Amino acid sequence: MIEVRELTKRYGSSVAVDGLSFQVRPGTVTGFLGPNGAGKSTTMRVLLGLDAPTSGDALVNGRRYREMRRPMVEVGALLDANAVHGGRNAIDHLRWMARSNRIPVSRVAAVLEQVGLAGVARKRVGGFSLGMRQRLGIAAALLGDPGVLLFDEPVNGLDPDGVRWIRELMRSLAGEGRTVLISSHLMSEMALTADRLIVIGKGRLIADTSVRELAERFRQGVLVRSPRAAELSAVLVSAGATVDADADGALSVRGLEVDAIGEAAAAKGIPLYEVTPRSASLEDAYMRLTADSTEYRATGKGAGL
């Protein structure tokens, strides 16, 4: 399990993370979301011992990363796909990492096959595309067969087939009971991949919720279709709802739940063709949730261009 407790990280007078607390449990894919500058990368760096906290704790399985004797066996991570020597080939890079943590060399061939790089194992990394480097970084994260995995923008540079592969890989790893934390800006992928979401802004926790709960929090009312739409609209307004007519004749109803709409229509003998709750997309919900935490925002279409 990943546990962040009252974590604060300052760089001089700048506060990157401010009293942040959350948990990431096994068996789930947890999306780690927030605008640029929210503190996501800093939090992950502290978890991996790359930065020291100013105060608080960032723990994996109850310990700090620097206390682990063979950290790659416990925690796998990909923060920067370009953090590899370009003159080294893929297989030697992974063999070096395996030896550093006393991991059987047989794991090198296994993870290269798993990420689809077996055919280029002896090519220099300097000639790899960004997508290939991402796959190599994921192979390195999986090398020690760890129970906890952290990924920062793992689909960056991947083609559609690679994106789908990453999605299925993350879900399969969580299905094996592993703890998976993914930092990403791609809401469409988080909607398809993540079970839970940790959303932060300006270094502080904004939400710790499921994807479905977040979408429901910003639900956009109920879509209703009826051959007697005008009459139904008057009935629902009298029952306390706010009703707007869509261009195609459907009604957008706020303030009444599905069952109340059905009961009101039935009482007046008004037939209903459709009654569908409208939930916000994850992207819409995220944008509304983090509106006050965005550090940089353009003004108008093509501002400054």
Side-chain angles (χ1 to χ4, degrees):
M1 186 174 74
I2 295 170
E3 187 175 11
V4 173
R5 299 191 305 220
E6 294 296 323
L7 179 65
T8 296
K9 176 62 182 177
R10 294 187 178 91
Y11 297 98
S13 60
S14 176
V15 181
V17 181
D18 189 5
L20 182 62
S21 297
F22 64 84
Q23 292 182 342
V24 183
R25 298 186 178 277
T28 62
V29 177
T30 300
F32 193 29
L33 311 179
N36 289 333
K40 303 186 303 296
S41 294
T42 298
T43 301
M44 296 180 90
R45 287 180 60 84
V46 173
L47 275 164
L48 295 170
L50 298 172
D51 285 336
T54 302
S55 62
D57 288 305
L59 310 175
V60 177
N61 296 330
R63 293 183 295 159
R64 292 188 175 185
Y65 188 89
R66 68 187 183 196
E67 297 170 353
M68 301 174 185
R69 299 190 64 182
R70 299 170 64 202
M72 291 185 66
V73 176
E74 297 189 50
V75 187
L78 169 60
L79 297 191
D80 182 359
N82 290 313
V84 54
H85 195 293
R88 187 178 291 151
N89 64 41
I91 194 168
D92 286 343
H93 172 67
L94 294 178
R95 283 174 175 171
W96 170 77
M97 296 185 75
R99 289 192 184 101
S100 72
N101 276 247
R102 300 196 303 278
I103 297 168
V105 178
S106 59
R107 282 289 299 165
V108 172
V111 295
L112 283 170
E113 185 70 34
Q114 186 175 2
V115 302
L117 293 180
V120 294
R122 298 193 179 279
K123 290 189 176 181
R124 294 182 184 274
V125 177
F128 280 13
S129 66
L130 177 56
M132 293 168 70
R133 288 175 184 243
Q134 289 282 44
R135 288 176 180 263
L136 181 60
I138 292 167
L142 298 174
L143 191 59
D145 198 22
V148 176
L149 293 148
L150 293 81
F151 299 100
D152 192 0
E153 300 289 354
V155 302
N156 189 25
L158 294 177
D159 59 19
D161 181 67
V163 171
R164 175 176 289 186
W165 168 74
I166 280 284
R167 185 191 311 148
E168 293 173 351
L169 175 65
M170 299 298 135
R171 297 205 62 82
S172 69
L173 291 169
E176 294 169 358
R178 303 175 201 259
T179 301
V180 182
L181 180 66
I182 305 175
S183 173
S184 180
H185 288 103
L186 296 179
M187 295 302 107
S188 58
E189 273 310 302
M190 287 295 95
L192 294 171
T193 307
D195 302 297
R196 294 199 63 81
L197 300 172
I198 304 292
V199 185
I200 66 174
K202 298 180 180 178
R204 299 177 181 178
L205 183 69
I206 296 176
D208 181 350
T209 183
S210 71
V211 174
R212 182 174 180 177
E213 287 168 349
L214 182 58
E216 282 295 308
R217 177 172 169 181
F218 294 97
R219 192 168 62 181
Q220 298 173 333
V222 181
L223 175 68
V224 182
R225 296 184 189 277
S226 170
R228 292 157 57 183
E231 183 182 351
L232 176 61
S233 178
V235 170
L236 296 178
V237 168
S238 67
T242 299
V243 181
D244 295 309
D246 293 349
D248 63 355
L251 301 178
S252 181
V253 182
R254 290 181 174 85
L256 288 179
E257 298 298 327
V258 169
D259 54 353
I261 293 170
E263 290 169 1
K268 298 294 184 178
I270 300 174
L272 299 177
Y273 288 170
E274 180 181 358
V275 184
T276 305
R278 279 175 163 174
S279 294
S281 69
L282 177 58
E283 181 177 17
D284 289 338
Y286 167 80
M287 294 298 290
R288 292 171 65 181
L289 191 66
T290 61
D292 294 332
S293 301
T294 302
E295 190 172 357
Y296 307 106
R297 182 183 289 112
T299 57
K301 295 181 180 180
L305 298 180

